[in-house]
């Protein structure tokens, strides 16, 4: 990926994170929960499927799926599916090209 494309992607992620914090009414410095939510968002920003374990690792807690619900309530579209032959679920962020 070209350097300018990486910078544009990073800027888009930062803009989404600001919108999420604004929608959730978080204007103070980031709390541990907000940092965990930001880390989960960064993990999902690649648009690939990620396991619950990966999401919990990104959140640095067992509440990774709670951070997913917060991201959803802020307006992000996150899909989930059950892994084949497993009780585990996977999640991915839908990347919409025309998202501000």
């Amino acid at each position: 990926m070209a350097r300018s494309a990486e910078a544009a992607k990073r800027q888009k992620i930062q803009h989404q994170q600001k919108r999420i914090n604004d929608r959730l009414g978080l204007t103070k410095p980031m709390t541990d929960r907000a940092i965990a939510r930001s880390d989960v968002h960064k993990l999902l920003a690649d648009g690939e499927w990620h396991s619950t374990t990966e999401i919990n690792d990104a959140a640095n807690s067992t509440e990774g799926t709670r951070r997913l619900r917060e991201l959803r309530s802020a307006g992000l579209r996150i899909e989930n599916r059950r892994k084949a032959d497993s009780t585990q679920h996977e999640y991915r962020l839908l990347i919409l090209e025309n998202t501000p």
Side-chain angles (χ1 to χ4, degrees):
M1 188 181 304
R3 190 174 200 89
S4 61
E6 288 176 17
K9 183 176 180 179
R10 192 170 33 257
Q11 185 177 16
K12 184 175 181 177
I13 291 169
Q14 289 171 344
H15 178 72
Q16 284 181 334
Q17 290 170 349
K18 183 183 179 326
R19 273 194 9 231
I20 291 164
N21 288 340
D22 290 347
R23 286 184 183 176
L24 295 174
L26 302 172
T27 56
K28 296 178 181 176
M30 289 179 70
T31 62
D32 289 343
R33 193 169 90 187
I35 291 168
R37 184 176 48 251
S38 174
D39 291 343
V40 169
H41 180 249
K42 287 176 189 174
L43 172 72
L44 296 174
D46 64 3
E48 299 296 322
W49 290 101
H50 295 279
S51 69
T52 305
T53 302
E54 290 175 281
I55 292 166
N56 285 336
D57 288 347
N60 202 24
S61 76
T62 58
E63 296 190 348
T65 54
R66 183 173 292 187
R67 304 295 81 88
L68 284 176
R69 287 192 298 276
E70 291 171 355
L71 292 170
R72 282 181 174 144
S73 72
L76 294 182
R77 294 189 51 202
I78 299 171
E79 292 184 314
N80 68 303
R81 69 180 182 189
R82 180 171 276 172
K83 286 174 131 179
D85 300 324
S86 175
T87 59
Q88 290 284 316
H89 286 258
E90 296 177 305
Y91 302 86
R92 76 173 175 182
L93 176 66
L94 286 178
I95 307 294
L96 304 175
E97 293 302 319
N98 296 327
T99 304

